[in-house]
């Protein structure tokens, strides 16, 4: 597999005090400015995407490990009205971009069959 060139996703760096909150307003404004420049901002999102996110969150609570297979993801997507694998993949990619889940649509076959429903569980592993 070919690797894409690494890109930094840092828009700005600024000092913020956690004692007197100096710089917090400037940081908040910078976050809003960056977010508003994102390509998907202002775009209409199908309501089924939010139903999908809600159902995945409920499913996560029922699991001992917050991981689904691709087949299970497809079943959850179809249960909320997403029609077919393409629609489920597109919605899962959207939720990945938002940081709700971790889903790999391409690349290694092993990663394509694993969907992580709790990002913190993945990154906070000892």
């Amino acid at each position: 597999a070919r690797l894409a060139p690494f890109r930094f996703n840092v828009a700005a760096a600024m000092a913020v005090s956690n004692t007197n909150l100096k710089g917090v307003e400037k940081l908040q404004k910078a976050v809003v400015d960056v977010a508003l420049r994102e390509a998907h901002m202002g775009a209409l999102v199908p309501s089924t995407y939010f139903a999908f996110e809600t159902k995945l969150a409920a499913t996560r609570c029922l699991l001992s490990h917050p991981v689904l297979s691709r087949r299970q993801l497809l079943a959850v997507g179809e249960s909320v009205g997403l029609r077919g694998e393409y629609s489920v993949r597109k919605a899962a990619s959207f939720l990945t971009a938002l940081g709700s889940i971790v889903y790999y649509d391409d690349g290694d076959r092993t990663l394509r069959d694993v969907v992580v429903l709790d990002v913190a569980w993945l990154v906070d592993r000892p």
Side-chain angles (χ1 to χ4, degrees), residues 7-14 26-38:
R7 294 181 308 140
F8 287 100
N9 290 318
V10 177
M14 53 190 65
K26 184 177 177 182
L27 174 63
Q28 288 172 324
K29 182 182 179 331
V31 169
V32 169
D33 290 345
V34 169
L36 291 175
R37 288 195 306 264
E38 290 294 315

Side-chain angles (χ1 to χ4, degrees), residues 48 51-52 55 75-82:
T48 50
F52 188 39
K55 182 87 177 233
V76 172
E78 289 178 343
S79 77
V80 298
L82 292 169

Side-chain angles (χ1 to χ4, degrees), residues 115-126:
V115 182
V116 179
L117 304 181
D118 184 356
V119 177
W121 175 85
L122 181 64
V123 298
D124 291 342
R125 305 291 296 160

Side-chain angles (χ1 to χ4, degrees), residues 5 11 13 15 20 32-34 46 62 68-69 71 73 79 81 86 90 96 98 103 110 113 115 117 122 126:
N20 65 12
V32 169
D33 290 345
V34 169
L62 301 173
L68 292 181
S69 70
R71 183 179 50 77
L73 181 77
S79 77
Y86 175 78
K90 192 170 177 181
T96 296
L98 291 181
Y103 166 75
T110 304
D113 195 46
V115 182
L117 304 181
L122 181 64

